[in-house]
Every structure is written in C-alpha cells, then in structure tokens.
Amino acid sequence: MQHIKNYINGQLVEPVSKTYLDNFNPSTGKVYSYIPDSDEQDVALAYSAAKTAFASWSITPKEQRSKYLLKIAALIEKKLDHLALAESIDNGKPLKLAKTVDIPRAAANFHFYGTGILHYASHAHSMEESAINYTLRQPVGVAGCISPWNLPLYLFSWKIAPALAAGCTVVAKPSEITPMSAYLLSEICIEAGLPAGVLNIVHGLGGKVGNAIVSHKDIPLISFTGGTVTGKHIASVAAPMFKKLSLELGGKNPNIIFADCDYDKMMHTTMLSSFANQGQICLCGSRIFVERKIYDKFKTDFVAKTKALLIGDPLHENTKIGAIVSEGHQQKILSYIELAQKEGGTVLCGGKKVTLDGDLKNGYYIEPTVIEGLAYDCRTNQEEIFGPVVTITPFDTEEEALMMANSTIYGLASMLWTGDLTRAHRMANHIHAGIVWINCWLLRDLRTPFGGVKASGVGREGGFEALDFFTEPKNVCVRL
Ligand code: NAD
C-alpha cells in the first residue's frame, strides 16, 4: 500500500519517527494508504529548509517567481483527471465535482497569483515640498499554512500560491483526513523545478504538526482555514507571540428566498448550495428562510428534488451525493439530526445513514436531509453541522428574515433571492457576513476579498489582500 511522504527541502522524505497513520477511503471505509505521523522534529527540518530558501526566494525577481507558479498551474491542469480521481477517493466527493470545481480552481489559484504578483504595486505619498513617503512591501518570512479536508487542494493552494508569489517560503500542513492531493502537489512542485525549501509540506495530526507550526517561535505568520474551535485555540497560541494571523473559520450561512425571485433559477441553485459536496462546503446555505407566500410550494418542490438526488459511488458519473469524509464526521451529523428532532423539528426527507452494496457497504453515507419546524435560535439552527442537512423556516417580513439570518455567532456567507433590486441592496447592506451572493452562489472573482466576520474569521484572503497579508509594509520617509 502507498506510503505518502513529506516534502522537505525539495525531497520526498519519510517522517523522522518512521511512523504512519491510516488513510481511509470514505466511500468504502477501508484504509487505502498511509500518511506520515510527523511531529515537531519534521516541522523543525521543514522550517530550517524554508528559512535557508527564504534568503534567495525573497529576492528572486517576481517575474521568475511568477514562472514557477504558472508552471505549477499548468501541471495541475495537465494532471486534472489524475488529481480529481485522487481527491475523490481521499475525500468521498463526487468525481465530477472534483473535476469541475476543486482541481480547476486549484490551478486557477496558482494562475491568479502567478499573474497577480506582476501587477502588485505599493503606494507613494507626497508631502508637497517637504518630503515624499513610499511604501516598500517585503515578504514576511517563513509562512505557516494549515488547511482543512473539505476542498483539499483548492484551499491548500489558496494559501500557498499567494505566499509563494509574495516571496515568502512556506511550511504547510494539509488535513490529515485528506492528504493525497497535497502529496501529489509536492510531486508537481518537484517536476516544476521549484527550488528546494521554498515549499515544504509536513503531513500529520493537527495537535502535533499543526501545533508545532503555530507555536514555532520563528514562524511569524499563520494562515489557517478550519473550524472555529481550532481557530480560537490557534489564536490563543499565536496572538501572544504577535504573529500575523489569518483565520478562515466555520459558518452557518443563511439562504433568504423572497416570493418575487426567479423561482426556477433559485431552486436549481438552492439544491447546489444546500447539498454540493454533501453540504461540506463552508459556503453552503444550511439555513433556508422562505417568504411565507411561497413556503408551501417551495417545501413540496425542494423535498421532491432532494429525495431524487442519487446517493452513491463518488466515482460514478451520475452520483450527486457521495460519502461523508469520515466515520467520526458521519456520527456528528447523525447526532445533529437526532438533536433536531428532540428540539421539535420534523424531518421532511432523509435523516438516515445509508448502506450501499458491495465494496461500498462500509462507506460513510447519509441521506440529504430537510428539516422544518425549528425555532431560529435552537442549537440545530445555531451550530455548524457541515453536512447534507438543511432547515427550512418561513418568514413574513424583511426585518424578520434579517433578524434570523444575523442571529448566529457566524458571518461567513449569505444568499439572497429576489427580483427587487432595491431590496437586494438594502438587505446586503444589513447582513452580517463577509460575502453576500444575490441571485447566485459560489460565483467567485479571485480579485475580491474573501472571508468572514464574527466567529467565521479574522482577516481576508483573496485578491491583493492576500499579497498584503504575506508582505509587511515599510514606510520610507525622505526629506526633500
Ligand atoms: P479543523 O479545524 O478540525 O482542522 C483544520 C486543520 O487544522 C487541519 O489541518 C487540522 O489538522 C489542523 N489542526 C487541528 N488542530 C490543530 C491545532 N491544535 N493546531 C494547529 N492545527 C490544528 O477543521 P476541519 O474539520 O478540517 O474542516 C472543517 C471546518 O473548516 C468547518 O468548520 C468549515 O466551516 C471550516 N472551513 C472554513 C472555510 C473558510 O474559508 N472560512 C473553508 C473551508 C472550511
């Protein structure tokens, strides 16, 4: 069986401890490869390689850094089928989704920052006749990047690409639950000729590898995407060390639907925003608020469509709902469905674990689930479930919809469906979220800032904001 390796100083290497963890295929529930159980010794080696490489990478002309990033983007595109297959097996997501979203967007991240760095500029401020100030933007140093399992290569590259473009070197840790595409990325970096030590990938557990990165005294910057509880812990370690921090955390996103929307478009997109990737996208809309005038029609149509979603082998072309990423996560989702019923909710469809046939019989599947009749402030409607589970709730007024939408500790994304332009802008202005999608979902222009408010995160990724994050501004004031 395959043993995944760490990527340190340009080489694929075993963990110092020589110990490995099981890597499961969630669609079958079977171990299919092994992942390094690395620890602080591997992080120390990675840091040392990154520190040495920083001396030359940070002064490598941006045109040259750009060429490496574009080469990596081209190789990801060339190997799209292979990467998508690996991601689907590792994560349980439908192969089609990996082919059309995850892997193309990972390539797009490298392409965007490979070209973006060429156009990145800093400012000058004139004090008329007395002085001129100019701002130098210098790479911060060795960046620590930690990512989750839900969109493995996509989110990993979302951090690594701007860090490398900005001139930082990187010690990165992908999720231990989905390590495979990060491993394949290390092979791609070797093929692209990326200089040794510029990117280092250390596999293993959050409590060991992640913690060693976050608490490393000489890593001055942490870019983290994952759960809010983990983010809080990371902040408690990194903030007293005065590290630069970007935290992209959980969500409980509202999807607000008015009677005057384009109903068919709304229904098509709401199916996706509810259940794509088994609902395991931080941007999925898990709380659906529907104007009472169309609530019954919406409920009938939405439940019928949800029942028709094909649950099955992620590798099969027609599968819409693949496997949940791990057995532990499957249990967590099922426990929330139970909680919802205790809280007075009615399961309109789904709600159960699914056992498929043959090789897939031990895989981690759950029926897509729609629940109604819950109070907006109950735990089911306040806590992140991160699975194929949505609640539906009627509302009468804009104010009521806004109050319920804004009632959670989270503020990542939101969706609004209406044909009333003025209302759309008015509501967008009042929603507490980093992203408001009006009559669409998951449409991303990489130039725009990305991230959440409240417990959904601190800082912004995306666009030139990410290049700002990985560089330090230095003001130089010259007396004329
Ligand atoms: P998680 O917080 O459990 O793990 C994320 C990463 O942090 C993993 O690599 C993990 O190994 C590591 N980690 C765990 N403990 C650590 C520690 N003590 N120190 C350092 N690193 C540690 O999250 P997850 O379950 O992998 O991902 C799901 C969560 O991510 C959800 O809450 C989801 O909303 C969130 N998410 C947010 C965004 C966003 O952009 N805001 C995007 C995707 C996912």
Side-chain angles (χ1 to χ4, degrees):
M1 218 177 297
Q2 186 177 11
H3 283 70
I4 286 174
K5 295 214 165 68
N6 288 332
Y7 172 51
I8 297 177
N9 204 21
Q11 309 280 323
L12 297 175
V13 294
E14 287 207 88
V16 175
S17 67
K18 304 266 191 296
T19 54
Y20 288 81
L21 304 162
D22 290 341
N23 187 26
F24 289 87
N25 173 344
S27 73
T28 61
K30 290 184 187 147
V31 175
Y32 85 102
S33 60
Y34 298 110
I35 162 177
D37 184 10
S38 313
D39 56 33
E40 71 282 354
Q41 302 176 81
D42 305 277
V43 171
L45 292 174
Y47 170 74
S48 164
K51 187 184 177 223
T52 305
F54 183 74
S56 52
W57 183 253
S58 57
I59 54 166
T60 297
K62 56 186 174 312
E63 291 76 9
Q64 224 167 312
R65 294 202 301 264
S66 161
K67 278 189 187 143
Y68 285 116
L69 266 71
L70 296 180
K71 183 89 192 282
I72 293 169
L75 285 169
I76 293 175
E77 272 164 12
K78 189 172 150 200
K79 293 167 193 270
L80 187 144
D81 286 348
H82 181 53
L83 285 163
L85 183 62
E87 191 101 312
S88 173
I89 292 171
D90 220 27
N91 177 277
K93 67 177 62 212
L95 177 59
K96 203 169 169 183
L97 187 71
K99 268 188 186 173
T100 53
V101 177
D102 290 66
I103 307 304
R105 287 195 179 196
N109 289 340
F110 278 102
H111 192 272
F112 179 81
Y113 285 105
T115 52
I117 192 62
L118 301 175
H119 305 281
Y120 185 51
S122 58
H123 296 103
H125 299 90
S126 163
M127 296 169 77
E128 288 75 44
E129 292 300 301
S130 61
I132 185 157
N133 295 273
Y134 60 87
T135 308
L136 286 175
R137 296 218 67 111
Q138 297 169 319
V140 174
V142 176
C145 298
I146 302 175
S147 61
W149 49 257
N150 62 323
L151 304 166
L153 190 61
Y154 176 14
L155 292 175
F156 199 52
S157 57
W158 184 232
K159 303 178 171 312
I160 289 169
L164 298 182
C168 289
T169 54
V170 173
V171 176
K173 187 196 108 54
S175 170
E176 62 274 28
I177 298 170
T178 54
M180 192 54 89
S181 52
Y183 174 60
L184 297 175
L185 177 68
S186 44
E187 292 185 341
I188 284 175
C189 290
I190 292 170
E191 193 176 339
L194 189 70
V198 166
L199 171 63
N200 303 275
I201 301 176
V202 185
H203 293 273
L205 300 170
K208 280 186 177 179
V209 177
N211 200 51
I213 294 173
V214 173
S215 56
H216 196 291
K217 67 179 178 39
D218 295 317
I219 295 181
L221 173 155
I222 302 293
S223 172
F224 170 81
T225 300
T228 293
V229 172
T230 318
K232 193 172 174 178
H233 171 73
I234 287 176
S236 75
V237 175
M241 299 172 85
F242 306 108
K243 298 193 180 209
K244 247 184 142 174
L245 262 182
S246 164
L247 301 172
E248 296 294 343
L249 310 176
K252 188 75 179 174
N253 308 310
N255 177 4
I256 305 172
I257 298 165
F258 286 93
D260 64 359
C261 69
D262 180 327
Y263 188 84
D264 293 342
K265 271 194 193 148
M266 175 281 295
M267 184 55 74
H268 174 78
T269 308
T270 292
M271 291 303 297
L272 295 172
S273 67
S274 302
F275 300 120
N277 205 33
Q278 297 72 248
Q280 302 167 134
I281 299 180
C282 53
L283 305 166
C284 277
S286 53
R287 295 177 297 147
I288 306 178
F289 301 110
V290 187
E291 194 170 2
R292 198 176 299 277
K293 279 185 246 176
I294 58 162
Y295 183 80
D296 287 338
K297 175 173 167 51
F298 174 85
K299 175 168 127 178
T300 308
D301 295 347
F302 186 59
V303 167
K305 280 183 176 290
T306 302
K307 281 183 179 166
L309 290 173
L310 187 64
I311 309 165
D313 185 350
L315 302 184
H316 197 283
E317 178 73 4
N318 296 329
T319 294
K320 292 284 188 270
I321 304 285
I324 301 299
V325 75
S326 67
E327 194 175 10
H329 195 52
Q330 183 194 37
Q331 290 308 326
K332 177 187 158 187
I333 297 167
L334 290 169
S335 75
Y336 268 105
I337 296 172
E338 219 179 290
L339 173 71
Q341 287 160 290
K342 284 190 191 136
E343 290 186 314
T346 305
V347 174
L348 298 174
C349 64
K352 294 195 190 66
K353 184 174 162 175
V354 178
T355 304
L356 298 176
D357 294 332
D359 244 16
L360 309 178
K361 76 172 189 305
N362 293 319
Y364 320 130
Y365 300 90
I366 295 182
E367 291 170 334
T369 301
V370 182
I371 303 170
E372 76 164 352
L374 286 167
Y376 76 90
D377 57 355
C378 69
R379 279 184 59 200
T380 310
N381 266 330
Q382 294 289 314
E383 297 175 15
E384 186 183 46
I385 300 173
F386 214 54
V389 180
V390 295
T391 63
I392 59 173
T393 308
F395 69 84
D396 292 300
T397 64
E398 256 179 60
E399 291 72 24
E400 190 190 2
L402 267 174
M403 182 278 293
M404 294 193 290
N406 288 338
S407 68
T408 73
I409 60 166
Y410 297 106
L412 185 53
S414 56
M415 288 128 260
L416 267 177
W417 290 92
T418 177
D420 181 336
L421 187 64
T422 314
R423 166 160 59 203
H425 290 297
R426 187 169 55 237
M427 297 276 292
N429 195 30
H430 288 108
I431 287 182
H432 300 159
I435 303 166
V436 184
W437 274 299
I438 298 174
N439 299 330
C440 61
W441 178 66
L442 213 60
L443 200 52
R444 288 280 298 127
D445 180 329
L446 297 186
R447 292 170 301 178
T448 60
F450 176 88
V453 297
K454 304 196 283 182
S456 290
V458 176
R460 285 292 178 276
E461 298 190 344
F464 285 172
E465 267 92 347
L467 295 175
D468 285 348
F469 177 66
F470 288 105
T471 55
E472 207 71 85
K474 181 191 286 175
N475 185 60
V476 181
C477 178
V478 187
R479 166 73 81 186
L480 294 178

